[in-house]
Amino acid sequence: MPSEIPLSKPDITDLEVQMVVRTLRSGRLSIGPMVEQFETLVATRAQCRYGVAVNSGTSGLHLVLQSLNIGPGDEVITTPFSFIASSNCILFVGATPKFVDICPRSLNMDPARVQAAIGPKTKAILAVETFGNPCYMDQYGSIAARHEIPLVEDCCEALGATFKGRPAGHFGRAGVFGFYPNKQITTGEGGMIVTDDHRLAEMCRSLRNQGRPLGAPTGPTMGGSPTGSWLKHERLGYNYRLPEMNAALGVAQMKRLDEIIEKRHNVALHYIRRLGGHPQLVVPTVDPESIMSWFVFVVRLAPSYTAEERDRVISGLRRHEIGASDYFPCIHLQPFYREQFGLREGMFPIAESVSHRTIALPFHNDLTAAEIDQVAQALELLIKQENISRV
Ligand SMILES: Cc1ncc(COP(=O)(O)O)c(C=O)c1O
């Protein structure tokens, strides 16, 4: 049954529809000017020299780790509190994730624990800007530099965020953005690698395009038969290309990015004002040096609440036709991570405690004050009911 107030909702204008239709009619549906424009727009926003568009954030992360020659026997330090793809990409290349616990305020990895986790097998730090918060990215960068290993920024949730004035995507050897429909901007499916490293960008371009030669022209001869380097494959590559229609949507959405970020900021502020004083709720806190680019709005119940109680509150919200979710269950407790790496409860207590109590509330560009009030009232009522059933 569709929720009356959905958890998330893409915001697509008529102009954006027209851009996609115009691209469809142009006859150039793959490897063309829209991908190039989109790459330039996103790379410029992240203050990086190169952008490499791909068909998802997950494929972008995979290509970056492969281009950095990370493989079997290597360890990559990362967070257990994230969407599964930020760790799966480490498994794709045959390496092992080394999880470190998070800081309960920013929900990003605790820099001291990152430092302590570095060992002889550590080949990279893969840091996630959780829910659009770039906090500590500079510290991860310094730790990585000290140990002469790359920092990879999984900024899939953080397009447009800044920390100490530097944009998300600019802290690591490479950053990867994602454009799934719940993100700040969407291309339907899509992702973007950003980097200042020419060779890394070229390797990612080759790998996304079936391993075609580095620096080769990116498309077959239009209107004629494929020639030259188009049918030469120098390495095992993938088809991770972003279609022109998706890139056209991305180009049009990028032009509204500032407006979108501001709308989301206002929605988040409204929620914080409305729910901030509730004694049984923890609302997001933002480091004064972070400018969040809000991806989702996630509150959590106070530490005394159990995961079962939280799940009942989420079910209750859904019964009120309000979208809600438990972002994120810990990655190390997902069945195949437990089995493959012998991971279990209690290993990352802060991430586990947070993840047992989180509730993602409806969040999108056009959420109104009245809708926020409706969500807040339902949430307050459901918490009250939980409290009554405790006594
Ligand atoms: C932190 C993080 N990493 C990676 C991804 C993967 O992106 P995609 O869904 O575009 O493959 C996401 C997407 O939600 C994400 O939130």
Side-chain angles (χ1 to χ4, degrees), residues 304-319:
S304 62
Y305 288 82
T306 63
E308 292 70 31
E309 287 170 316
R310 183 277 312 272
D311 291 345
R312 275 201 297 273
V313 173
I314 290 180
S315 305
L317 287 168
R318 290 179 183 159
R319 268 199 314 279

Side-chain angles (χ1 to χ4, degrees), residues 303-361:
S304 62
Y305 288 82
T306 63
E308 292 70 31
E309 287 170 316
R310 183 277 312 272
D311 291 345
R312 275 201 297 273
V313 173
I314 290 180
S315 305
L317 287 168
R318 290 179 183 159
R319 268 199 314 279
H320 283 77
E321 299 195 320
I322 291 169
S325 192
D326 56 340
Y327 291 173
F328 283 110
C330 283
I331 295 176
H332 68 285
L333 300 179
Q334 296 288 351
F336 69 105
Y337 277 84
R338 282 177 187 258
E339 275 163 36
Q340 196 169 333
F341 301 106
L343 297 162
R344 57 190 187 283
E345 273 95 357
M347 290 181 131
F348 306 102
I350 300 172
E352 289 168 27
S353 161
V354 166
S355 110
H356 286 160
R357 294 180 285 116
T358 52
I359 307 174
L361 298 175

Side-chain angles (χ1 to χ4, degrees), residues 272-292:
I272 290 172
R273 279 196 212 109
R274 182 66 181 73
L275 293 170
H278 194 293
Q280 274 102 33
L281 277 178
V282 182
V283 297
T285 39
V286 182
D287 184 285
E289 293 182 296
S290 272
I291 298 183
M292 291 271 294

Side-chain angles (χ1 to χ4, degrees), residues 3 44 57 119 133 187 201 217 334 345 385:
S3 296
T44 305
N133 186 354
T187 56
Q334 296 288 351
E345 273 95 357
Q385 284 171 0

Side-chain angles (χ1 to χ4, degrees), residues 208-345:
R208 85 169 163 187
N209 192 18
Q210 307 284 13
R212 292 186 166 98
L214 296 179
T218 43
T221 314
M222 292 302 292
S225 50
T227 53
S229 56
W230 184 249
L231 291 179
K232 193 163 170 208
H233 305 275
E234 286 185 344
R235 55 191 59 77
L236 177 64
Y238 311 88
N239 180 355
Y240 282 173
R241 297 185 301 259
L242 183 72
E244 280 284 283
M245 290 74 74
N246 304 65
L249 180 54
V251 166
Q253 291 244 303
M254 274 306 284
K255 299 204 167 144
R256 287 200 295 131
L257 180 61
D258 286 324
E259 173 200 320
I260 289 172
I261 289 174
E262 197 185 330
K263 280 183 168 181
R264 293 170 89 89
H265 180 74
N266 289 336
V267 171
L269 270 189
H270 203 106
Y271 263 129
I272 290 172
R273 279 196 212 109
R274 182 66 181 73
L275 293 170
H278 194 293
Q280 274 102 33
L281 277 178
V282 182
V283 297
T285 39
V286 182
D287 184 285
E289 293 182 296
S290 272
I291 298 183
M292 291 271 294
S293 174
W294 292 88
F295 161 50
V296 282
F297 191 81
V298 178
V299 294
R300 58 186 194 265
L301 296 175
S304 62
Y305 288 82
T306 63
E308 292 70 31
E309 287 170 316
R310 183 277 312 272
D311 291 345
R312 275 201 297 273
V313 173
I314 290 180
S315 305
L317 287 168
R318 290 179 183 159
R319 268 199 314 279
H320 283 77
E321 299 195 320
I322 291 169
S325 192
D326 56 340
Y327 291 173
F328 283 110
C330 283
I331 295 176
H332 68 285
L333 300 179
Q334 296 288 351
F336 69 105
Y337 277 84
R338 282 177 187 258
E339 275 163 36
Q340 196 169 333
F341 301 106
L343 297 162
R344 57 190 187 283
E345 273 95 357

Side-chain angles (χ1 to χ4, degrees), residues 56-59 61 82-83 85-86 128 154 156-157 178-180 182-183 189-190 295 328:
S56 72
T58 308
S59 16
L61 290 167
S82 177
F83 181 62
S86 61
V128 177
D154 177 345
C156 279
E157 301 178 359
F179 308 119
Y180 185 73
N182 62 354
K183 296 294 191 307
E189 296 283 356
F295 161 50
F328 283 110

